[in-house]
Amino acid sequence: MRIVILGGGFGGLNAALLLGKKTQSSLCEIVLVSDTSRFVFRPSLIWVPFNNRQVEEISFPINKIAEKVGIRFIQKKVASILPKERKVLCQDGTQLVYDYLIIAAGAVPDWEKIEGLKGNTASVYDTHAALQTKI
Ligand SMILES: Cc1cc2nc3c(=O)[nH]c(=O)nc-3n(C[C@H](O)[C@H](O)[C@H](O)COP(=O)(O)OP(=O)(O)OC[C@H]3O[C@@H](n4cnc5c(N)ncnc54)[C@H](O)[C@@H]3O)c2cc1C
């Protein structure tokens, strides 16, 4: 059996670690897919613009922790999900077949929903935004 988990944030990584520990001696394969190689502790992004923390200090590589509990980590961007075929399609053409799928890909803020928000405000919503705010 294969469980595929999308997203290497709090949701996806926690799910992967818990399932990885529980299924360690079974034939179940846990595959964690995320488009970034590092887990970022997002609450600490608030410190990045002020130079109180660097991104490297508030993040760690997912593959090292994944190895410890026998999870397969794949760094790829997911392009679509085909539920009827139980397949995840990645941007580079890779296809992952699953028995169970956990989607923990987070949220995408709609900056344009409120007029004037985009371009006129600073943010620490994600790593990219926090680094931009620093400049
Ligand atoms: C400054 C700040 C302070 C915060 N403070 C708190 C707090 O005190 N308490 C609290 O409970 N919460 C807090 N939060 C919120 C908390 O950090 C988020 O709710 C949490 O990180 C959400 O986790 P998630 O796993 O759902 O999503 P995310 O952290 O967004 O993770 C999603 C993951 O999916 C990956 N992904 C997305 N799309 C794709 C794709 N197509 N293909 C492959 N991978 C993909 C992303 O790269 C990411 O790794 C704070 C957030 C910020 C920014």
Side-chain angles (χ1 to χ4, degrees), residues 6-12 33-36 42-46 76-79 104-107 124-126:
L6 306 186
F10 273 120
V33 189
S34 198
D35 55 358
T36 52
R42 288 178 56 201
S44 285
L45 285 172
I46 188 68
K76 287 191 190 297
K77 190 169 180 71
V78 171
V124 290
Y125 186 80
D126 54 27

